[in-house]
Amino acid sequence: KAGVTQTPRYLIKTRGQQVTLSCSPISGHRSVSWYQQTPGQGLQFLFEYFSETQRNKGNFPGRFSGRQFSNSRSEMNVSTLELGDSALYLCASSLDTETGYGYTFGSGTRLTVV
Amino acid sequence: GESVGLHLPTLSVQEGDNSIINCAYSNSASDYFIWYKQESGKGPQFIIDIRSNMDKRQGQRVTVLLNKTVKHLSLQIAATQPGDSAVYFCAENMKTSYDKVIFGPGTSLSVIP
């Protein structure tokens, strides 16, 4: 059974550019959540999607956006990149969205903004 | 963003000893708690979970204890092994917030062979 797949694994971008990260959830999982992980702030919730609808959003600026497709795959986009956006971006999918069970993470995309 | 703390607590234990990792959670309305293990270069991996209607749950070599009175969670690892070296996160989830899971700052566990 394939796990959560995130692409690319590593990315280097220049300040001011935009970036799109991809997440393929475990087959059958309909909920996809995104997190930003930095040494200083830890794991911070970005947003959660279920059946192509954003149901929850963390306290991030509007430069951070996402979407989910009908096959449950999800993308997140960061526009006008800032140095502080350098982080590990993690995606997690889950099956039972009502109870939070089965929350499985991918290995993340390491974004470096220079 | 929503997060707790800036500094990563560290715990060093001798191989074979038991480890206890503690966590204070933030919201008394949280009803589901999870412990994750994150190894270098990988995403967090589920270890064990517990619902708010329980105060103890055991897995293989791991036990989670929940004290709702003081909003405290602990993870006990029996007979700690070098492969247990990682960062451990506790997380809380509120059913009314669907899959909005809030993570603690993490604890770095180092196992001394």
Side-chain angles (χ1 to χ4, degrees):
Chain A
K1 182 178 180 181
V4 178
T5 303
Q6 291 188 247
T7 56
R9 285 298 309 276
Y10 302 93
L11 207 49
I12 300 175
K13 288 286 188 179
T14 304
R15 191 171 45 182
Q17 287 185 313
Q18 74 165 16
V19 66
T20 299
L21 312 181
S22 179
C23 172
S24 293
I26 290 174
S27 178
H29 284 195
R30 297 169 65 190
S31 171
V32 174
S33 299
W34 289 89
Y35 287 82
Q36 181 195 65
Q37 186 175 29
T38 59
Q41 296 295 318
L43 274 156
Q44 297 187 88
F45 174 79
L46 281 157
F47 26 65
E48 186 255 346
Y49 287 87
F50 180 78
S51 292
E52 303 177 65
T53 300
Q54 185 183 91
R55 295 196 303 185
N56 251 312
K57 190 178 190 304
N59 298 328
F60 278 82
R63 299 185 298 106
F64 292 81
S65 63
R67 59 177 176 168
Q68 187 180 33
F69 302 94
S70 58
N71 61 358
S72 293
R73 189 177 72 85
S74 178
E75 290 181 347
M76 68 162 282
N77 183 277
V78 187
S79 62
T80 319
L81 284 165
E82 300 177 0
L83 296 179
D85 297 333
S86 295
L88 179 66
Y89 289 89
L90 291 159
C91 161
S93 74
S94 67
L95 176 63
D96 189 338
T97 60
E98 289 299 316
T99 62
Y101 282 129
Y103 215 61
T104 304
F105 281 90
S107 294
T109 294
R110 173 74 63 183
L111 172 66
T112 302
V113 182
V114 297
Chain B
E2 296 181 13
S3 183
V4 178
L6 297 175
H7 301 289
L8 197 64
T10 59
L11 176 66
S12 294
V13 298
Q14 204 72 38
E15 180 179 358
D17 287 351
N18 296 333
S19 303
I20 299 176
I21 301 171
N22 296 303
C23 174
Y25 63 92
S26 60
N27 197 319
S28 56
S30 294
D31 59 5
Y32 177 59
F33 305 89
I34 317 110
W35 278 99
Y36 288 93
K37 172 187 180 183
Q38 187 174 25
E39 297 173 284
S40 181
K42 298 183 179 179
Q45 178 186 7
F46 172 91
I47 301 173
I48 191 168
D49 58 3
I50 188 168
R51 293 221 155 271
S52 58
N53 61 354
M54 303 171 68
D55 53 22
K56 180 179 180 179
R57 190 166 187 219
Q58 287 184 293
Q60 187 178 14
R61 282 201 309 119
V62 294
T63 301
V64 55
L65 299 177
L66 174 64
N67 185 330
K68 294 181 288 294
T69 303
V70 295
K71 293 191 288 185
H72 183 267
L73 201 62
S74 69
L75 176 71
Q76 300 177 2
I77 305 173
T80 313
Q81 303 168 0
D84 296 326
S85 293
V87 176
Y88 290 81
F89 293 94
C90 67
E92 58 185 301
N93 174 265
M94 289 180 287
K95 188 175 182 178
T96 55
S97 294
Y98 298 101
D99 276 346
K100 182 176 181 178
V101 178
I102 306 301
F103 285 81
T107 296
S108 177
L109 174 66
S110 293
V111 181
I112 305 165

